[in-house]
């Protein structure tokens, strides 16, 4: 199904990568200069509530009064929803510093599930990990007591995270593999939740409708598949090329609404004028809110 009418809410910054909506309908996002912005429900007012000094990516409500931030440079952070100073929850786990803290989901008891996308490449070189397929992504769990354990390793660019509505499993997007994997939280089993996606999944989130919403930032790129099969020296040469000469994402974007049993219940796909690289999605009360890695606006449409 094609996107219907989409409204753009301009923001005074670049790359509002993720979006989250509070109980009053206010919209939160982070831009690439480190600021955390809060938009009024109609998008007309923008307030700066914090500055991480890094590159904020995934956002989640954390209790009733705080916002959880996955910052690609600064780690796992929290800030008051009312605005104020930034507190650091973690910058490392299992003896390894985070290279690329990316996205999270928060359970009802305050447990945080989050990703560290790569062991080799940080936010400035995210394309390199997709070329090299390093399988260095991690899915981590931070318990309310502050301890962090590893749930899943060897992920192909670990990205978005979402919990099943009943919190029986946690899903994690593997951008480099065009699939969403999951871990069952009762016994630690892992399997594939959604496979063979036609595009690259980025952030994912559980909506107020009970569906797990999965972004597809771009269709698959045939040139990337070719580059991945090249010998290592040639792949390294491609990585050194100017970005405009490397395999590039397409303008078409998409989102899927998937039930907990893996059934695709909703699908929107196509080009949105003035908006591409759709990497963040949040369903709230029948509306979909989209973030972008490359635009300077949030997009809003009906579900």
């Amino acid at each position: 199904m094609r996107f219907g009418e989409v409204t753009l809410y301009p923001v005074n910054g670049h790359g509002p990568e993720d979006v989250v909506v509070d109980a009053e309908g206010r919209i939160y996002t982070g831009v690439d200069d480190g600021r955390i912005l809060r938009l009024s429900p109609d998008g007309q007012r923008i307030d700066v509530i914090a500055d991480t000094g890094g590159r904020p990516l995934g956002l989640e409500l954390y209790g009733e009064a705080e916002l959880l931030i996955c910052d690609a440079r600064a780690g796992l952070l929290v800030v008051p929803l009312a605005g104020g100073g930034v507190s650091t929850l973690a910058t490392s786990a299992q003896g390894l510093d985070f290279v690329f803290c990316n996205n999270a989901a928060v359970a009802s008891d305050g447990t945080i599930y989050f990703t560290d996308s790569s062991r080799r490449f940080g936010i400035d070189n995210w394309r390199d990990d997709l070329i090299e397929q390093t399988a260095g992504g991690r899915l981590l769990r931070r318990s309310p007591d502050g301890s962090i354990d590893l749930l899943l390793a060897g992920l192909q660019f670990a990205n978005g995270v979402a919990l099943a509505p009943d919190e029986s499993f946690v899903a994690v997007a593997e951008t480099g593999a065009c699939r969403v994997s999951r871990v069952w939280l009762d016994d630690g089993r892992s399997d594939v939740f959604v496979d063979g996606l036609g595009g690259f999944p980025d952030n994912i989130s559980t909506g107020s409708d009970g569906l797990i919403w999965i972004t597809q930032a771009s269709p698959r790129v045939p040139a990337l598949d070719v580059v991945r099969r090249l010998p290592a020296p040639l792949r390294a040469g491609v990585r050194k090329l100017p970005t405009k000469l490397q395999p590039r994402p397409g303008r078409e974007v998409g989102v899927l609404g998937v039930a907990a049993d893996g059934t695709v219940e909703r699908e929107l796909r196509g080009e949105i004028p003035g908006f591409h690289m759709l990497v963040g999605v949040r369903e709230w009360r029948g509306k979909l809110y989209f973030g972008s890695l490359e635009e300077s606006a949030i997009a809003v449409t009906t579900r």
Side-chain angles (χ1 to χ4, degrees), residues 23-69:
E24 298 178 30
R26 297 177 299 185
I27 309 158
Y28 299 80
T29 191
V31 289
D32 67 3
D33 62 7
R35 289 176 299 138
I36 305 298
L37 309 178
R38 181 178 61 219
L39 283 70
S40 60
D42 62 3
Q44 295 300 303
R45 174 171 175 169
I46 301 175
D47 295 307
V48 178
I49 67 166
D51 190 333
T52 69
R55 193 353 173 166
L57 298 175
L59 305 178
E60 292 294 322
L61 298 177
Y62 190 52
E64 296 183 355
E66 291 184 303
L67 184 70
L68 178 75
I69 304 164

Side-chain angles (χ1 to χ4, degrees), residues 113 162-172 180-186 189 191 193 206 212 258-262:
Y113 300 88
L163 284 159
D166 64 0
E167 300 188 359
S168 60
F169 66 80
V170 58
V172 55
V180 179
S181 297
R182 66 180 165 184
V183 177
W184 294 92
L185 297 176
D186 56 351
R189 291 178 298 117
D191 60 11
F193 180 50
T206 306
I212 293 176
V258 183
D261 64 1

Side-chain angles (χ1 to χ4, degrees), residues 29-280:
T29 191
V31 289
D32 67 3
D33 62 7
R35 289 176 299 138
I36 305 298
L37 309 178
R38 181 178 61 219
L39 283 70
S40 60
D42 62 3
Q44 295 300 303
R45 174 171 175 169
I46 301 175
D47 295 307
V48 178
I49 67 166
D51 190 333
T52 69
R55 193 353 173 166
L57 298 175
L59 305 178
E60 292 294 322
L61 298 177
Y62 190 52
E64 296 183 355
E66 291 184 303
L67 184 70
L68 178 75
I69 304 164
C70 290
D71 190 293
R73 306 189 197 282
L76 198 62
L77 314 174
V78 291
V79 301
L81 288 177
V86 177
S87 300
T88 301
L89 295 182
T91 58
S92 65
Q94 302 289 297
L96 297 171
D97 290 340
F98 301 151
V99 174
F100 196 153
C101 187
N102 196 324
N103 199 253
V106 179
S108 56
D109 67 354
T111 298
I112 301 168
Y113 300 88
F114 66 103
T115 49
D116 189 19
S117 292
S118 175
R119 293 306 313 150
R120 285 183 59 189
F121 301 108
I123 180 68
D124 296 320
N125 303 104
W126 60 268
R127 292 176 179 84
D128 292 356
D129 198 274
L130 297 182
I131 289 172
E132 294 292 349
Q133 294 188 289
T134 65
R138 300 186 291 169
L139 175 64
L140 300 155
R141 172 173 56 193
R142 183 186 186 274
S143 299
D145 65 6
S147 62
I148 300 177
D149 63 323
L150 176 67
L151 287 186
L152 203 58
L155 299 173
Q156 291 287 1
F157 198 92
N159 207 323
V161 185
L163 284 159
D166 64 0
E167 300 188 359
S168 60
F169 66 80
V170 58
V172 55
E174 293 186 73
T175 303
C178 293
R179 69 180 172 227
V180 179
S181 297
R182 66 180 165 184
V183 177
W184 294 92
L185 297 176
D186 56 351
D187 60 10
R189 291 178 298 117
S190 63
D191 60 11
V192 174
F193 180 50
V194 181
D195 202 2
L197 293 171
F200 296 102
D202 205 284
N203 293 344
I204 66 178
S205 63
T206 306
S208 63
D209 56 4
L211 299 179
I212 293 176
W213 287 89
I214 301 169
T215 63
Q216 293 179 79
S218 161
R220 293 194 185 207
V221 180
L224 179 61
D225 292 332
V226 172
V227 170
R228 284 170 164 176
R229 294 192 292 267
L230 295 175
L234 294 180
R235 292 199 306 273
V238 172
R239 291 198 286 110
K240 293 178 181 178
L241 291 172
T243 300
K244 64 182 180 180
L245 297 180
Q246 295 182 17
R248 302 180 67 184
R251 296 284 306 188
E252 183 177 283
V253 296
V255 292
L256 298 176
V258 183
D261 64 1
T263 302
V264 177
E265 299 283 353
R266 299 281 188 276
E267 180 173 9
L268 296 172
R269 183 176 302 280
E271 292 191 20
I272 299 175
F275 195 85
H276 76 298
M277 284 292 282
L278 190 164
V279 295

